[in-house]
Amino acid sequence: MPDTLLEQHAEALRFFGDRVRAVGDGQWGAPTPCTEWTVRDLVNHVTGEQLWIPPMVTEGRTVEEIGDAFSGDVIGEDPAAAWERASAAAHAAFTAPGALDRTVRLSYGPALGRAYCAELTADCVVHAWDLSRGIGADDRLPGDLVEFALKEVMPYADGLAASGMFAAPLDIPAGANAQTRLLALVGRKG
């Protein structure tokens, strides 16, 4: 079981990457639980998030400085290869000496690199479930990643829907397991 943030990050990237490699040729246009996104849109979004990490963490650039560099199609003709390159560069940026203790200037304000890494790890876990659902794969998430993401999301759950990036939290059924609780907090019915 991964016990450090960087190990959790690496595991989440691997798990999402496994799902990207499992996408069949005819599945890229399939719907996902993110109602406005197809499978391709979802993979493009998560890949794009990884592309932001090196310039922000390693170079100290701001959202404004990066601008629209990662807008549009970032996965091209070979989405799996694009994902592999982006996720490897993202993880390398976070593992650089001092990266987790650096201040990163995000769209909502400054944050420590470790908070940014934790946020994107949890996001990758949730989107791996979305992608699994979109391609009809096993949607059970690794328990350690679910617990990590649940701890990350819980303090912010009430404000996630207000951000416009998540659906409103759902009622959590009595006796729900950790994955069902996590998904409900981010507006998904598991």
Side-chain angles (χ1 to χ4, degrees):
M1 178 172 164
D3 60 357
T4 71
L5 173 57
L6 292 173
E7 289 168 338
Q8 295 282 1
H9 183 252
E11 184 180 357
L13 294 175
R14 275 192 304 275
F15 188 74
F16 188 84
D18 289 345
R19 293 302 184 261
V20 171
R21 287 184 295 282
V23 177
D25 290 338
Q27 294 180 308
W28 290 102
T32 69
C34 301
T35 57
E36 68 280 0
W37 287 340
T38 64
V39 165
R40 182 177 177 83
D41 296 331
L42 176 66
V43 172
N44 191 69
H45 165 73
V46 180
T47 303
E49 286 184 326
Q50 306 317 306
L51 293 172
W52 282 86
I53 296 168
M56 294 186 79
V57 173
T58 306
E59 301 167 23
R61 294 172 65 195
T62 65
V63 171
E64 295 77 23
E65 289 170 339
I66 297 168
D68 62 359
F70 306 120
S71 296
D73 181 8
V74 298
I75 57 176
E77 296 294 316
D78 191 347
W83 166 257
E84 293 303 326
R85 284 189 303 274
S87 64
H91 191 66
F94 279 133
T95 60
L100 296 181
D101 296 320
R102 282 190 198 116
T103 298
V104 181
R105 294 169 292 174
L106 304 172
S107 59
Y108 55 81
L112 283 179
R114 75 180 61 259
Y116 185 38
C117 183
E119 174 187 324
L120 289 180
T121 300
D123 190 65
C124 194
V125 171
V126 172
H127 284 318
W129 181 85
D130 294 330
L131 184 53
S132 296
R133 281 286 177 106
I135 63 172
D138 182 355
D139 65 5
R140 287 174 294 173
L141 300 168
D144 57 310
L145 288 178
V146 170
E147 291 294 337
F148 175 88
L150 191 55
K151 287 177 188 163
E152 176 64 21
V153 169
M154 283 181 72
Y156 311 106
D158 292 338
L160 291 176
S163 73
M165 298 175 67
F166 293 90
L170 304 175
D171 290 332
I172 299 173
N177 65 24
Q179 180 169 317
T180 301
R181 290 193 321 267
L182 170 64
L183 295 172
L185 286 173
V186 293
R188 289 158 171 85
K189 185 173 178 154

